[in-house]
Amino acid sequence: MIPVSGFDGARVAVLGLGRSGLSSARALRAGGADVICWDDSPLARAAAEAEDFALADLGRDGALDGVARLIVSPGIPHLYPAPNRVVAAAYVAGVPVDNDIGLFFRSFATAGWAAFDQPPRVIAVTGSNGKSTTSALIHHILCESGRDAQLAGNIGRGVLDIDPPRDGGAVVLELSSYQTELARALTPDIAVFTNLSADHLDRHAGLGGYFAAKRRLFAEGGPDRAVIGVDEAEGRFLANQLSEAPADDRVIRVSSGAKLTGPGWQVFARKGFLAEYRKGRQAGSIDLRPIRGLPGAHNHQNACAAYAACRAMGLAPRVIEGAMHSFPGLPHRSQIVAEAGGVAFVNDSKATNVDSALKALLAFDRVRWICGGLEKEGGLAALKPGLANVLKAYVIGREAEGFALQLDGVEAEVCTTMERAVARAHEEAQAGETVLLAPAAASFDQYDNFEQRGDDFAARVRAAIGSGQ
């Protein structure tokens, strides 16, 4: 645990008692704070009571009197589409609002670091797509190289649940826009921006607000090194804002598909090959094609970002390459769950939006595509470049017929259920083809979350292969 500093004897309120909320409450108490908690869910309140935390309805008049700080869980809106009633009351009362990420950055460094030969470092990763894989890959590479590393944030452990770092240790954080937007302290040593595509627009009042939330990690934090994906205009803007000159190597530009030139520091992938250039000269290269845990151009972008972050940590190119070959990939993200009869079955349930589903389709040839679910705003037109790889679509979800009608030029079978979709795809697939779950939609019409959907796909695949149906 990282005890929270700066609130010894102070009264601090915690709103939302999920993983991050309870973690914040424990870390605040460990740092000497007088903690009061609230969640609208009776089950969540019971969990806090079981740990002897005091409960108080923070929305009642006077509940925030004497409170030094309100700590808010990521899922609770603090501005758009409208502030939560407790957050709104804190604004009126002048109570500062923060989250667990802000508490982490204000408490991570301690006086004990003076005895370390090398101070611990924090690598923070944000962006729309690929940040989980990028974070996990950085962590994997650091561990394989012998570094003491921990993975936390949106992946791994809660940020305040990690162990106090040892001499020369590293913490890799995956941070969402919900977390970066509200945190009052953001001071990573290395910050990574993967890419930007439309998502969570209601929470941020549009794409500009969404990008602004991501940008805070760099503008507020002032990292020593910034790794910036420049395949979108927002990334190019951000890299330009952080650079003082063309040769400024505090910014490492990253691309998947475009050759980057100039006197600065660049890492890019083209046709499956990663290349690193610094001061106009090539400094490293990796053939990414045989790395099974990183299939497709979107994962090559993740590989470039992770490579750049690890190079900024001082690792050699050959060390990074060796670690990449042993990276198993993440569940529900281009995860090969089975192979039978020359057919690969790939679980990309995390492809909950059109952009991530398109990248999954482009990663494989001859695809039998399982798609559908709770459709997001914007329609499916942006999928068109990837539809040429689709042999047939097997559509699931309560609105499967409407989803199928939007897949122009693609043979589509309305299956509704995962069981039916997997059975039909398995029955029709031939050697050399890929059965791919990349829904391009949320899971909530049939599942609690994308993980449950991916697990169902994997279970149905195993059943189909085992029965030989």
Side-chain angles (χ1 to χ4, degrees), residues 129-131 133-134 137 194-195 231 254-257 269 288 293-305 332-335 346-348 350-351 355-364 436 438:
N129 298 309
K131 56 185 180 291
T133 296
T134 300
L137 181 56
T194 59
N195 51 56
D231 288 333
V254 167
S255 175
S256 175
L288 299 172
L294 296 167
H298 61 305
N299 273 311
H300 294 174
Q301 182 185 59
N302 300 334
C304 288
H332 316 296
R333 298 161 177 86
S334 295
Q335 175 195 18
V346 177
N347 169 20
D348 205 333
K350 184 63 170 66
D355 183 68
S356 54
L358 172 61
K359 290 175 179 176
L361 290 175
L362 293 173
F364 303 97
L436 170 67

Side-chain angles (χ1 to χ4, degrees), residues 195-271:
N195 51 56
L196 194 82
S197 61
D199 209 355
H200 308 303
L201 300 189
D202 58 337
R203 178 65 180 263
H204 300 291
L207 188 61
Y210 178 49
F211 175 55
K214 302 284 188 186
R215 183 179 178 273
R216 287 193 76 245
L217 182 62
F218 304 85
E220 300 289 333
D224 295 334
R225 280 249 159 72
V227 177
I228 309 293
V230 295
D231 288 333
E232 295 89 28
E234 291 85 358
R236 293 189 288 274
F237 167 82
L238 182 57
N240 184 272
Q241 288 276 295
L242 297 173
S243 300
E244 291 296 332
D248 188 350
D249 66 1
R250 293 174 302 171
V251 176
I252 308 176
R253 291 169 170 82
V254 167
S255 175
S256 175
K259 181 177 181 179
L260 302 179
T261 59
W265 197 348
Q266 297 101 12
V267 179
F268 59 88
R270 294 185 71 197
K271 299 180 179 179

Side-chain angles (χ1 to χ4, degrees), residues 129-166:
N129 298 309
K131 56 185 180 291
S132 294
T133 296
T134 300
S135 300
L137 181 56
I138 293 169
H139 175 256
H140 176 81
I141 294 168
L142 291 173
C143 291
E144 289 292 298
S145 72
R147 299 291 291 267
D148 176 37
Q150 301 181 74
L151 182 63
N154 263 7
I155 187 173
R157 303 162 72 182
V159 291
L160 295 169
D161 288 333
I162 67 171
D163 301 323
R166 294 189 284 270

Side-chain angles (χ1 to χ4, degrees), residues 1-4 10-39 41-58 71 103 160-161:
M1 179 188 294
I2 304 295
V4 174
R11 192 168 176 79
V12 179
V14 176
L15 178 64
L17 298 172
R19 184 184 76 158
S20 69
L22 273 178
S23 174
S24 297
R26 296 184 195 111
L28 282 160
R29 183 163 62 185
D34 174 20
V35 183
I36 57 172
C37 300
W38 187 253
D39 193 297
S41 165
L43 288 175
R45 294 199 299 270
E49 270 192 312
E51 297 190 33
D52 295 322
F53 285 110
L55 297 175
D57 185 347
L58 299 174
I71 307 304
L103 296 179
L160 295 169
D161 288 333

Side-chain angles (χ1 to χ4, degrees), residues 59-60 174 201 233 253 336:
R60 291 182 178 175
E174 180 199 338
L201 300 189
R253 291 169 170 82
I336 299 174

Side-chain angles (χ1 to χ4, degrees), residues 34-110:
D34 174 20
V35 183
I36 57 172
C37 300
W38 187 253
D39 193 297
D40 289 338
S41 165
L43 288 175
R45 294 199 299 270
E49 270 192 312
E51 297 190 33
D52 295 322
F53 285 110
L55 297 175
D57 185 347
L58 299 174
R60 291 182 178 175
D61 290 345
L64 294 176
D65 291 350
V67 169
R69 191 69 49 102
L70 173 65
I71 307 304
V72 178
S73 293
I76 297 173
H78 53 267
L79 186 57
Y80 302 114
N84 175 276
R85 62 190 177 97
V86 177
V87 176
Y91 294 157
V92 172
V95 176
V97 180
D98 204 349
N99 61 15
D100 61 331
I101 303 303
L103 296 179
F104 168 82
F105 277 112
R106 70 176 288 151
S107 308
F108 182 57
T110 66

